[in-house]
C-alpha cells in the first residue's frame, strides 16, 4: 500500500435499481433468492473494483438473511459501500431495499457483508489496494466493527483449512 493514495468510502459508493420481472420470480410472484444473491455479489464487486481499480474476486459472503420477501414488479435498490480495507482484501456492505411502485412503500429486505480480493491483471495474484480515508466517527466505528468481522472470518478460514 506504500505510495497509494487513500480513498474515501464515498468515492466508490454506488446505488442502483432494478425492476423485478417475470423471469426473476417463481409462479407465486416471489423473487428467487438466487437473483438477489447475484445482485448483491455484483453490487459489492462493483464497489470493490471501483475502490481498487482492479479486477476482484469474491472471497467470502457472510450469512445472508432474507428478512422479508421481494415480489414480482418490486423496484429493488442496492446500495453498496466499502467498510474496511486490508492489504489486498476489501469488505463491502450491501443493503437491499424493495419498493412497491404503486403504493411507494419501501422496505429493507437484506443486508450482506462480502469480502473481495483485488487481483493483479498480469499475475492473477492478490495485489495491494488503496487504504481507506475515514471521514467521520460513524465511518471509524463501522471500520472497527468490520475489522472484528474480518478477524472472525480469518479464524473460520483457518479452521476450514484444517479439515
Ligand atoms: C480469494 C483468493 C484470491 C485468495 O487467495 P490466496 O492465495 O488465499 O491469498 P492470500 O492468502 O494472500 O489472501 C489474500 C487476501 O484475501 C483475504 N482472504 C482470503 N480468503 C479469505 C476469506 N475466506 N475471507 C476473508 N478474507 C479472505 C486474506 O486475508 C488476504 O487479505 P489481506 O491481503 O487484506 O490481508 C483465492 O482464495 C481465490 O481465488 N478464491 C476463489 C475466488 C472465487 O473464485 N470467487 C468466486 C468467483 S469471483
Amino acid at each position: 500500500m506504500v505510495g497509494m493514495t487513500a480513498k474515501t468510502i464515498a468515492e466508490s459508493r454506488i446505488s442502483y435499481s432494478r425492476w423485478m420481472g417475470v423471469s426473476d420470480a417463481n409462479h407465486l410472484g416471489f423473487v428467487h433468492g438466487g437473483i438477489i444473491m447475484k445482485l448483491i455479489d455484483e453490487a459489492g464487486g462493483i464497489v470493490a473494483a471501483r475502490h481498487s481499480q482492479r479486477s476482484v474476486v469474491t472471497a467470502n459472503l457472510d450469512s445472508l438473511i432474507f428478512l422479508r420477501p421481494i415480489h414480482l414488479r418490486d423496484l429493488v435498490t442496492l446500495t453498496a459501500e466499502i467498510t474496511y480495507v486490508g492489504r489486498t482484501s476489501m469488505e463491502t456492505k450491501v443493503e437491499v431495499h424493495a419498493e412497491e411502485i404503486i403504493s411507494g412503500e419501501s422496505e429493507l429486505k437484506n443486508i450482506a457483508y462480502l469480502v473481495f480480493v483485488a487481483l493483479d491483471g498480469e499475475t492473477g495474484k492478490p495485489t495491494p489496494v488503496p487504504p481507506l480515508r475515514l471521514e467521520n466517527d460513524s465511518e471509524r466505528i463501522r471500520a472497527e466493527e468490520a475489522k472484528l468481522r474480518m478477524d472472525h472470518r480469518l479464524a473460520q478460514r483457518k479452521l476450514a483449512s484444517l479439515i
Side-chain angles (χ1 to χ4, degrees), residues 31-148:
V31 171
H32 298 292
I35 297 284
I36 301 302
M37 287 164 72
K38 179 172 182 292
L39 289 173
I40 287 174
D41 188 33
E42 193 175 81
I46 293 169
V47 165
R50 267 189 115 188
H51 179 83
S52 61
Q53 296 183 260
R54 295 283 179 273
S55 295
V56 298
V57 284
T58 317
N60 193 305
L61 165 61
D62 287 354
S63 66
L64 179 58
I65 301 172
F66 290 89
L67 300 169
R68 293 165 202 95
I70 298 177
H71 300 103
L72 176 64
R73 287 188 287 278
D74 279 354
L75 183 69
V76 166
T77 299
L78 296 111
T79 307
E81 65 180 26
I82 296 273
T83 44
Y84 169 84
V85 164
R87 195 181 79 85
T88 66
S89 65
M90 298 155 279
E91 186 196 73
T92 63
K93 177 184 182 185
V94 182
E95 283 188 5
V96 181
H97 285 83
E99 177 185 331
E100 206 275 305
I101 299 262
I102 304 299
S103 68
E105 278 176 24
S106 177
E107 216 178 21
L108 177 66
K109 303 289 187 177
N110 303 90
I111 299 177
Y113 293 95
L114 302 91
V115 177
F116 294 88
V117 176
L119 300 181
D120 181 275
E122 284 176 14
T123 64
K125 301 274 184 218
T127 190
V129 301
L132 207 50
R133 181 151 61 81
L134 300 167
E135 296 191 287
N136 53 51
D137 284 347
S138 153
E139 289 186 355
R140 276 185 276 278
I141 289 167
R142 277 183 279 151
E144 278 171 25
E145 291 168 353
K147 175 77 174 69
L148 293 177

